[in-house]
Amino acid sequence: MRITCADCGSTQVLPPLPPRSVAECRRCDRVLDRRASTHLGLALAAAAATLLLLPFAAFLPLLASTIRYLVFDESRLISSVPVIYRQVWFPFALGFLLFALVFPALRAATLCAVLGSLRWGWPLRERGRLFRWNQEMRIWSMTDVVVIAGVATYFRAAAPADVEVLPGAWCYVAVAALALASDLALDRRRVWNAILPDADGRRAAPPPPARAAACAVCELTLPGLSRGAPCPRCGARIERDLVRGFLPSAVALAAAVPLALPAYEFAVIVN
């Protein structure tokens, strides 16, 4: 199959890969394809189990703490949101709700929809767009970060009190483990090719024209597509102007540099 690297724009032909192998770009070493050794059904099962366990993790008790047999408190993941809102700050509460619950649930649901439609042949509109959203939510689904923060909270609270880990915490640990297993078992290039195949470089006689565009998300080679048109596979906007694509990152970096020194120098929290 023929893939255009989204980083350097080099178009290259990849042979069929054996399981547990990786294909890298010959120019910039970007990973173009990683062939998983498992079937897509494992990623589907892990995503379905994640979606099933998330309500239990959100509403079942997480921790129970007792201070000198006098003060008893029981926490839940969903009840942490209003507590953070009242005691810390509204953006933190909203971020916790999105990163710990909403985005993991949406990511598991979209993956179940895409893989289920491919496995059983269900008609599903905008299948490529759904899978693109699923991949874009990957960085915002922070179940592993929440588990690490929960472990730190446990040892912090266990110093002055007797703390008991309850079923909600174990359910969320299972959610984080299943989300990781789904990521490791998912063969993304196989999913993209099942939605819309890449061009077969061995059978495609003419090479792509010099000004061929490439999708920066699914890396589909698109000869002759006009700038600003949607990708026929994932729906992302095709942009040939690299300067415009890197401009938001450059602006954010320029704004962050003068803030780095006061961020490290000044106090963060006063208790």
Side-chain angles (χ1 to χ4, degrees), residues 24-94:
E24 295 181 347
C25 176
R26 60 188 178 186
R27 178 188 290 171
C28 68
D29 294 336
R30 173 190 170 96
V31 175
L32 299 178
D33 191 8
R34 178 181 283 108
R35 183 65 61 190
S37 59
T38 55
H39 194 267
L40 291 178
L42 180 59
L44 175 59
T50 300
L51 198 59
L52 180 65
L53 283 177
L54 259 177
F56 296 98
F59 292 101
L60 288 179
L62 286 174
L63 299 173
S65 59
T66 305
I67 302 178
R68 296 182 180 180
Y69 302 101
L70 297 176
V71 180
F72 175 78
D73 188 23
E74 191 176 77
S75 62
R76 287 174 169 82
L77 197 64
I78 195 67
S79 63
S80 303
V81 178
V83 172
I84 297 173
Y85 173 74
R86 290 193 305 266
Q87 298 184 5
V88 186
W89 197 27
F90 167 71
F92 286 173
L94 179 62

Side-chain angles (χ1 to χ4, degrees), residues 88-89 92 260-271:
V88 186
W89 197 27
F92 286 173
L261 182 60
Y264 284 105
E265 179 68 21
F266 297 151
V268 178
I269 296 176
V270 177
N271 293 329

Side-chain angles (χ1 to χ4, degrees), residues 150-193:
V151 173
T153 302
Y154 171 79
F155 286 106
R156 180 71 175 86
D162 296 326
V163 180
E164 180 184 3
V165 181
L166 297 178
W170 296 116
C171 286
Y172 201 84
V173 170
V175 164
L178 288 168
L180 178 61
S182 177
D183 273 342
L184 294 177
L186 184 62
D187 194 331
R188 292 165 180 82
R189 181 58 52 186
R190 186 184 300 178
V191 176
W192 285 127
N193 275 280

